[in-house]
Amino acid sequence: SDYRLLLYAGLITFNRGLENLIQSLVYLPDCHLVFMGYGNDEYKKHLLELTRRIGVESRVSFFGPVPHDEVTIYAASADLGVAPIENACLSYYYCSHNKVFEYIQAGLAVVASDFPELRKVIHQHDIGCTFNPADPRDISRAVNYIFENPEHWQRMKQNTITASQYYNWENESNKLLNLYETLN
């Protein structure tokens, strides 16, 4: 109860901005970061060494993967969802992370890399804030922006309800079916 719970859900691997996310904890003394997902043991050891080196090891936990259909249930217990992907290639720069939509379904405000598609989802629905994933201080600025104004944070969480009605399989499947019909 002494910490705000930040959640990273997804593959624990390189080019996901995880090192900078961990380093942002230096500027977020009231936050605890949880990694929920699969990861290579060698890479997780690298991340754990980083937590020790910068003195935040007591505020980082590796929860491990959960069944796919339970991700949003587990995620809902966090205070904020984080998606810090790096600009490693055009595919990453223009991505729409599954984890962002899982955070939305879980009712979490979201902070994510300031890339075009992520920015569009977050700002169009006013569900969070974006940041420069290469800068740990900017990540902490985005997190603090959410938590500094409790009323705004609650409104962002409330806005995820509307966003979840827009971003769901029922709506997206219709788009896919319409696309297939144009191919006939």
Side-chain angles (χ1 to χ4, degrees), residues 125-138:
H125 297 280
D126 189 26
I127 59 167
C129 185
T130 56
F131 56 76
N132 174 354
D135 182 355
R137 284 185 188 262
D138 200 47

Side-chain angles (χ1 to χ4, degrees), residues 78-97:
D79 294 306
L80 184 65
V82 186
I85 194 161
E86 293 177 0
N87 186 5
C89 62
L90 286 176
S91 175
Y92 280 23
Y93 183 71
Y94 289 106
C95 74
S96 292
H97 268 311

Side-chain angles (χ1 to χ4, degrees), residues 4-40:
R4 306 266 186 178
L5 188 60
L6 307 179
L7 176 67
Y8 170 86
L11 187 61
I12 302 168
T13 190
F14 60 94
N15 291 338
R16 300 298 171 112
L18 305 183
E19 289 89 349
N20 288 335
L21 178 57
I22 289 170
Q23 290 177 20
S24 75
L25 290 176
V26 170
Y27 311 106
L28 297 165
D30 61 342
C31 291
H32 188 99
L33 173 61
V34 173
F35 290 98
M36 185 174 74
Y38 294 99
N40 170 292

Side-chain angles (χ1 to χ4, degrees), residues 36 66-76:
M36 185 174 74
V66 300
H68 179 71
D69 61 341
E70 296 179 21
V71 169
T72 57
I73 295 168
Y74 281 89

Side-chain angles (χ1 to χ4, degrees), residues 167-184:
Y167 297 112
N168 61 55
W169 178 241
E170 290 77 18
N171 289 341
E172 298 304 312
S173 65
N174 288 330
K175 293 176 189 176
L176 183 61
L177 291 173
N178 290 335
L179 176 64
Y180 284 149
E181 286 178 9
T182 65
L183 298 175
N184 287 333

